[in-house]
Amino acid sequence: MRKKIVAGNWKLNNTLDQGLKLASEIVNMMNDEVKEDVSVVLGTPFIHLSSVSKITNGNANLHVAAQDCSTHSSGAYTGEVSVSMINSTGASHVIIGHSERREYHNETNEELATKVNLALEAGLTPIFCCGESLNIRESGNHEAFVSNQLSESLFHLTEEQMSKVVIAYEPIWAIGTGVTASSEQAQDMHKALRAYLATKFGQASADNTSILYGGSCKPSNANELFSQPDIDGGLIGGASLKSRDFIDIIKSF
Ligand code: 13P
């Protein structure tokens, strides 16, 4: 049985104090209100990881993620943060290949493969992001494009390694735009990606891989998205910054 997961991606938001306040609210509301077995991940800026991990570690369903990691393990790389540094904060996950990093930092599928390897070696769970631009969607090549992102960054893994990876499908045209992919568009892509994973890793492995949807997911549309057979949860941007909205999304399964 694959896991249900809701991950928040705070992006470049929240000072340390604001982040701690938000995380505390989420911990309290999770403890009071969330009865379902859902893994919840808080994707915070690097500076929050250690203190948010301390707040969340009393709840076994709550986890903390970095939003990126270096392609290097250590050395003269000013400003970079390595997987072992992330691990040492108590964080257990790392978001890899978000479209904003692909676009603004020119991250390539090959570099992302390196990051996935380093994350797995460090015992972190990669949340590997993929997704197409509006141009690619309109050209009709979206499934081939996203499949290629998976094959170039993940298909060198063993089945055992792949069992530790979470995938997040985030169509770029739906991120922060208020335009959500319809549940049918999202389901079609998730189904296609699962079938594609099966060609490489086998059906059992594909069936056990959690594939999250991201892009303008909010309390009003989460239930319809999460009810789709191949959608196992969400990667949430804007709505993860408000504890009430985030908790309502978690309660949408
Ligand atoms: P929004 O939920 O703000 O559209 O962002 C989605 C996202 O990019 C999560 O990683």
Side-chain angles (χ1 to χ4, degrees), residues 44-238:
T44 80
F46 290 124
I47 63 141
H48 297 68
L49 292 174
S50 176
S51 13
V52 171
S53 294
K54 288 193 183 88
I55 296 181
T56 54
N57 76 5
N59 185 323
N61 279 336
L62 261 172
H63 311 278
V64 178
Q67 298 171 17
D68 181 38
C69 62
S70 177
T71 52
H72 303 283
S73 298
S74 64
Y77 301 102
T78 302
E80 296 278 287
V81 177
S82 74
V83 286
S84 59
M85 292 173 186
I86 294 167
N87 202 11
S88 72
T89 65
S92 53
H93 291 59
V94 55
I95 298 170
I96 291 178
H98 192 281
S99 60
E100 288 149 15
R101 295 212 57 89
R102 292 176 186 264
E103 183 177 352
Y104 307 137
H105 300 272
N106 300 316
E107 294 191 353
T108 64
N109 290 338
E110 194 185 1
E111 282 168 329
L112 299 177
T114 302
K115 293 188 181 193
V116 169
N117 292 344
L118 288 169
L120 289 170
E121 278 167 28
L124 296 172
T125 300
I127 300 177
F128 180 79
C129 301
C130 55
E132 80 288 355
S133 65
L134 188 58
N135 274 350
I136 293 170
R137 167 70 54 170
E138 286 174 344
S139 74
N141 290 327
H142 44 289
E143 284 187 11
F145 179 84
V146 179
S147 297
N148 186 57
Q149 290 180 321
L150 297 195
S151 63
E152 293 195 356
S153 298
L154 299 178
F155 274 24
H156 63 286
L157 298 177
T158 63
E159 194 185 323
E160 160 73 13
Q161 288 174 314
M162 188 60 210
S163 71
K164 304 197 168 93
V165 176
V166 173
I167 291 178
Y169 167 60
E170 300 202 303
I172 296 169
W173 46 273
I175 295 178
T177 58
V179 181
T180 319
S182 69
S183 51
E184 193 184 357
Q185 285 172 317
Q187 165 58 22
D188 284 351
M189 180 62 90
H190 284 226
K191 187 176 172 197
L193 294 182
R194 199 179 303 288
Y196 190 55
L197 289 173
T199 64
K200 170 68 185 169
F201 298 103
Q203 193 61 50
S205 165
D207 284 342
N208 279 322
T209 303
S210 295
I211 308 181
L212 316 182
Y213 167 79
S216 300
C217 186
K218 41 193 179 236
S220 58
N221 58 27
N223 176 258
E224 193 185 334
L225 288 159
F226 297 175
S227 305
Q228 302 304 312
D230 288 288
I231 300 182
D232 307 309
L235 180 55
I236 318 298

